[in-house]
Structure formats: structure tokens, C-alpha cells
Amino acid sequence: MLINKYVSQTETYSVLDIDGNLINASYKVPLSNEQIKNSYFVMKLSRIMDEKMLKMQRQGRILTFPPNFGEEGLQVATALSMDKEDWFAPAFRSATIYIHQGVPIWQIMLVWKGNEMGNKLPENLNFLPFNIPIASQYSHAAGIGMTLRYQNKPNVAYTFIGDGGTAEGEFYEAMNFASIRGSQTVFCINNNQWAISTPTAKETGQPCIASKAIAAGIAYIKVDGNDLFASYEAAVAARQYVIENKKPILVEFMTYRKGPHTTSDNPRIYRTEEYEKEQEKKDPIDRLEKYMLKNGIINQEDIAAIEAKIDSHLDEAYKIMVEKTNVSIDEIFDYTYKTLDESLLEQKEEAKRIFGGK
């Protein structure tokens, strides 16, 4: 793969149009039909999970949570590029990557039910929990990437941030630190064009957010995040670049946040219906589905069967989540740090006295 095809380009790299056609007929799709079908399944699973969770939140059955609507393609593409020994420091809107890499659905639901046991991830994954503070995950990934460099490991640390988060000081500080230290980090931006109610044009004076990498002295890529194939190519190229050059890179995925920022947000207050309909023409699931139908990879009966399978899967996940909702005092404290210091031990004993050790 020619890294220079992608690196430090301000144009948005894309290979699939909004009607599911390859822009260049001679383009060789980088994924097998089986990988494409599995990617489609995960993207649909994430979308339907969010739809069901949104209803559950409105019914008071779970707490506030951030849907991944519209960003499923770029997340699956990034997950496909990962090695099993790579690390991931997520933002709070990263559930699709979790699903692709095998985190049980009930655990994701449990997090947004308010139970931290949902963050006790499978031991075979080098994943940090969902990061709620804006931009601190960039510092985490910079540090992990530096450690990988010192250990001389052929792996990287991935991290994501929203376009609004790129206005945070920690965004720049983490990239600058990583650049100086040669941190093996792939910094990603899911530019969904809205930081809650603030459009990108009012967040930054630089329309190409990816080019902010120049200030940190690192390379960058700008890619269509609603195009699974282009996003996968970019993610693979970014990982390869970091490993070969022992330098970090910044990848800006151009996408669109279809739904609310979180369930406490109402986007219709600041976005018109006409604007939303125009943006939704770029939907990553619709584009991939059109491509698959046109190329005989899937048919309408297959789609119906996939949706039925997903519904059953999600119903079972919800039942497990409900069973695991209750926690003990020990569980609240014991997974905060590897070992508890004296002050935390005192707090735990006090909590047991107050709540009867439950």
C-alpha cells in the first residue's frame, strides 16, 4: 500500500459514492465479500442497538447515553485495521468498535445503565473504558503509544475524539507530546460536524481539522468516514505509517451525526429537517447496502434475516443486562485501582456501614 496516497492530503479520500457505486470502476475493493457482510452485520447491529437503547432511555430503563448513529462505518473500518495486540483509548461514542472486537452487547448496555461492571472488558482486549471527559483519551493514547515505542513492539494505540474535542487544549498537548516522543499512536477524529449544538464552522477557524496536525509536526489523512472501503484503507495506511516511521499520525474521518449528541439533546432545535435529509444521503449503512445489493453480495431476504437475528440478539443481551444490574459495595470500589490505598479502604468500610454491606 502506498502511504503517500493518503498522508497529508487535504482532499477527502473517497471511493464509494452515495448510491453505492465505485467512483473508479477499476478500483479493487480491499475487503473480501465475507468481510463486507460481517462489517454490514456489525454496523446494522450497532444501529439497531442504539435505536432500542434510545427507546429504553426514554422509558427510564437506562441512563443518558450517546448513540453512534451515522458513525458506524468509520468505526468498523478502524476496528478491521487493528491487530489483537494494539491498544484502544476510546471516546464515549465508540461502541461500534467494541461490538466488532467482541465486547458483549450486555456489557455496553450495562455501562449506560450506570453499572461500572460493564467496563470490565474481556481480558484478550487492550481496551480502556469509555472516556467521558473530552480529550483526555488523547493523552492516554499518547502515553500508551510511547510505551509501545520504548518496548519496541510492532503495535499502535488508537484513540478517537469528536470535532468539538479538537478545540480542547489536551488535543494539541497530546499530539505534541506524541510527536516529540515518537509515540506509536493513531489519533483519530470522527468529524460529525456538530459539537452538541455547535457546528464545525463555529468551533474552529481551520476548515480542515486534519491539518491541525501540522502544528504538532505530524502527518495527517482526511477521509470519507461514511465510506467503509476508503476508511479501512486510511486506517490501515495510518497504522502502517506509524509502525514504519515510529511517529504518530492524525486521521480525520468526515462523517455526520444522524441523531442527538446524547439522549439529553434535541438536534431539531439547531438543525433543520431539510439539512438532516440532505446529510443522511451519505449514510454509511445505506451506501454499503446499496453496493452489496448491486454486486450480489446480499439480497432483501438476507437483510430481513439479519435484522431478525439482531433483534433476537439484542433481546437476549437486555435480559442479561437486567440480571447483572445490582452491584455490591465491594464492586463499586475494587475496580477503581489495582490496589486500594488506605483512604479508599476507609471509604469502602464506611459505605458498608451505611448501606449494610450490600
Side-chain angles (χ1 to χ4, degrees):
M1 183 175 291
L2 298 175
I3 298 296
N4 290 336
K5 180 180 178 181
Y6 313 97
V7 172
S8 298
Q9 298 296 312
T10 57
E11 296 81 14
T12 303
Y13 179 65
S14 186
V15 300
L16 197 65
D17 69 20
I18 62 174
D19 295 316
N21 301 308
L22 294 174
I23 296 171
N24 183 344
S26 64
Y27 174 78
K28 183 174 175 55
V29 174
L31 301 172
S32 68
N33 285 352
E34 194 60 35
Q35 287 176 309
I36 293 170
K37 286 192 287 186
N38 184 63
S39 296
Y40 176 77
F41 176 81
V42 173
M43 290 162 69
K44 288 281 283 189
L45 173 57
S46 178
R47 176 71 59 86
I48 296 173
M49 178 191 76
D50 280 343
E51 291 170 351
K52 288 182 177 292
M53 288 179 66
L54 184 59
K55 292 176 182 176
M56 286 189 277
Q57 194 277 336
R58 299 307 189 216
Q59 296 164 354
R61 291 191 283 164
I62 63 171
L63 305 176
T64 299
F65 88 100
N68 299 269
F69 295 138
E71 300 179 19
E72 299 90 350
L74 68 91
Q75 291 193 41
V76 168
T78 304
L80 282 167
S81 75
M82 291 178 173
D83 179 81
K84 64 179 182 179
E85 297 300 324
D86 289 339
W87 284 76
F88 182 43
F92 53 71
R93 201 186 314 278
S94 299
T96 311
I97 291 180
Y98 273 46
I99 294 171
H100 186 278
Q101 300 302 80
V103 176
I105 298 294
W106 64 263
Q107 284 196 253
I108 296 171
M109 290 181 173
L110 200 61
V111 170
W112 304 114
K113 181 68 172 177
N115 188 330
E116 289 294 339
M117 288 300 291
N119 283 318
K120 193 172 185 292
L121 302 175
E123 293 184 1
N124 63 315
L125 293 178
N126 295 327
F127 277 27
L128 303 188
F130 290 126
N131 197 78
I132 305 304
I134 304 300
S136 56
Q137 67 271 20
Y138 256 46
S139 293
H140 301 157
I144 294 170
M146 181 182 70
T147 301
L148 293 171
R149 168 72 184 276
Y150 286 175
Q151 293 175 340
N152 198 32
K153 290 186 175 181
N155 296 100
V156 304
Y158 292 81
T159 189
F160 269 91
I161 198 171
D163 45 305
T166 65
E168 294 282 341
E170 200 154 3
F171 167 77
Y172 296 96
E173 293 154 10
M175 288 196 301
N176 188 59
F177 176 90
S179 178
I180 293 168
R181 300 288 183 177
S183 178
Q184 293 175 196
T185 305
V186 178
F187 294 107
C188 301
I189 304 167
N190 54 335
N191 184 352
N192 61 37
Q193 304 177 49
W194 294 90
I196 310 182
S197 59
T198 305
T200 304
K202 292 185 178 180
E203 299 162 17
T204 176
Q206 173 51 274
C208 177
I209 295 178
S211 66
K212 292 185 178 185
I214 296 171
I218 64 177
Y220 59 91
I221 300 172
K222 187 173 183 178
V223 64
D224 182 351
N226 292 337
D227 180 338
L228 177 71
F229 304 147
S231 293
Y232 171 70
E233 280 195 78
V236 170
R239 184 181 187 278
Q240 182 178 334
Y241 174 89
V242 169
I243 290 174
E244 291 181 355
N245 294 276
K246 307 298 182 184
K247 295 179 181 178
I249 193 170
L250 179 67
V251 183
E252 180 182 8
F253 293 95
M254 296 299 299
T255 183
Y256 170 68
R257 194 196 76 216
K258 285 173 64 75
H261 175 73
T262 69
T263 48
S264 61
D265 170 43
N266 179 8
R268 188 46 52 79
I269 294 174
Y270 52 85
R271 297 193 313 209
T272 66
E273 185 176 359
E274 292 73 22
Y275 171 84
E276 291 183 346
K277 285 182 178 179
E278 185 63 28
Q279 290 295 322
E280 286 174 4
K281 293 178 182 178
K282 307 170 186 176
D283 183 272
I285 296 178
D286 291 345
R287 285 166 78 174
L288 185 62
E289 185 176 287
K290 290 173 183 176
Y291 170 84
M292 295 171 72
L293 288 169
K294 290 178 179 179
N295 289 275
I297 299 173
I298 204 170
N299 57 41
Q300 292 295 343
E301 290 75 18
D302 294 328
I303 293 172
I306 286 171
E307 291 176 348
K309 180 180 178 180
I310 288 172
D311 283 338
S312 176
H313 189 50
L314 290 172
D315 288 343
E316 183 61 27
Y318 179 74
K319 291 176 184 177
I320 297 172
M321 182 271 285
V322 171
E323 292 172 358
K324 295 181 177 292
T325 296
N326 294 329
V327 297
S328 68
I329 295 297
D330 287 327
E331 289 173 331
I332 293 172
F333 284 87
D334 289 354
Y335 300 101
T336 304
Y337 298 100
K338 186 173 183 179
T339 57
L340 301 183
D341 63 21
E342 185 176 343
S343 65
L344 287 173
L345 288 171
E346 289 178 359
Q347 290 178 44
K348 182 166 77 167
E349 290 307 311
E350 182 179 2
K352 284 184 174 182
R353 287 194 300 271
I354 294 172
F355 297 104
K358 295 181 181 181

